[in-house]
Amino acid sequence: MNKCFSDKKMLLAAALLGALSLSGCGNTSEEEKALAVFSSSVADFKDYIQEADEQINSLDVNKKESADELLEILDSMDTEFAEFARLSREQTPDQYESIPGLAEQASVDMTTAVSYYHTAYESEEFDQNYADAAYQHYMNSMEAVKCIGMLLKGEKIPENDHVTVQEISNDEHILDKWLSGDKDSDDEENETASEE
């Protein structure tokens, strides 16, 4: 059980660090209000992940009932990831257009991980093959969450086996930005990531 979650502190800490800085204040436009709502959803999700992390770390691996407690926590995580994916589809501002796809991929991988963990732990004998597959899907889910955090902080997403960096151009205003000398900021805004 420890192997399954050994890297999660590092991933979770990096995943959504800085997300709380996205908040609206004062006289706000509709865009700023939408950003504030989205920011609140991100902050709630970040808080939930930290809470789940603490619960998992507090489990005593020597106790038989810890497996049941772990599965309950994972079931809750599956629900929260699905809800975050739904909110991301509905609330994500245009400048973060890659986040709904990453949130959906995180949710799909988490659902698969939870299903495999249930199979591994609820079999007559512990099934290591299912546990290994569950761990891989869990880590893929956390990688997608980490990418969401990097996008929110404005960092470039490094390419790896699970994430491909793509550039998306919004042709509607690109000529105006180029002519105003604002090309570099446009490139940064349009760099996105998607899960394979």
Side-chain angles (χ1 to χ4, degrees):
M1 188 161 42
N2 281 341
K3 174 193 173 206
C4 298
F5 302 101
S6 62
D7 296 327
K8 70 186 171 308
K9 278 188 176 179
M10 178 185 69
L11 288 172
L12 294 175
L16 294 171
L17 185 70
L20 292 175
S21 64
L22 298 173
S23 62
C25 60
N27 295 331
T28 57
S29 67
E30 289 303 313
E31 187 176 299
E32 289 171 324
K33 289 178 185 175
L35 186 59
V37 169
F38 175 66
S39 175
S40 177
S41 296
V42 169
D44 290 345
F45 185 63
K46 179 188 80 64
D47 291 344
Y48 173 77
I49 288 176
Q50 288 176 335
E51 181 182 320
D53 178 55
E54 290 171 11
Q55 290 175 341
I56 290 169
N57 285 327
S58 70
L59 293 176
D60 182 349
V61 295
N62 297 317
K63 293 184 178 178
K64 184 180 177 184
E65 59 270 13
S66 290
D68 292 334
E69 293 173 22
L70 173 64
L71 293 176
E72 287 178 23
I73 295 167
L74 290 170
D75 287 339
S76 176
M77 288 181 76
D78 188 23
T79 300
E80 290 294 325
F81 273 61
E83 178 65 7
F84 183 68
R86 183 189 68 77
L87 291 173
S88 293
R89 285 190 304 272
E90 295 172 2
Q91 299 176 347
T92 303
D94 291 342
Q95 65 263 41
Y96 299 114
E97 61 189 1
S98 295
I99 289 178
L102 287 167
E104 184 64 33
Q105 188 60 48
S107 177
V108 168
D109 275 318
M110 184 58 70
T111 296
T112 304
V114 171
S115 173
Y116 287 172
Y117 275 124
H118 272 279
T119 301
Y121 283 101
E122 293 172 347
S123 297
E124 284 187 30
E125 290 186 27
F126 178 76
D127 191 317
Q128 188 62 51
N129 291 331
Y130 273 102
D132 290 343
Y135 176 73
Q136 186 58 55
H137 281 281
Y138 180 88
M139 294 309 293
N140 290 348
S141 180
M142 288 298 130
E143 182 69 20
V145 170
K146 180 180 176 183
C147 289
I148 290 170
M150 292 175 77
L151 286 172
L152 289 171
K153 292 190 297 182
E155 295 177 1
K156 293 187 179 205
I157 308 296
E159 288 195 47
N160 62 38
D161 292 343
H162 304 289
V163 178
T164 302
V165 177
Q166 301 175 342
E167 290 199 20
I168 297 173
S169 177
N170 180 354
D171 291 333
E172 185 178 334
H173 300 292
I174 196 156
L175 186 58
D176 293 337
K177 289 185 179 187
W178 283 349
L179 293 175
S180 70
D182 202 14
K183 183 180 178 215
D184 291 339
S185 64
D186 183 64
D187 288 344
E188 287 175 13
E189 284 179 12
N190 289 323
E191 193 166 274
T192 61
S194 63
E195 285 283 322
E196 288 183 343

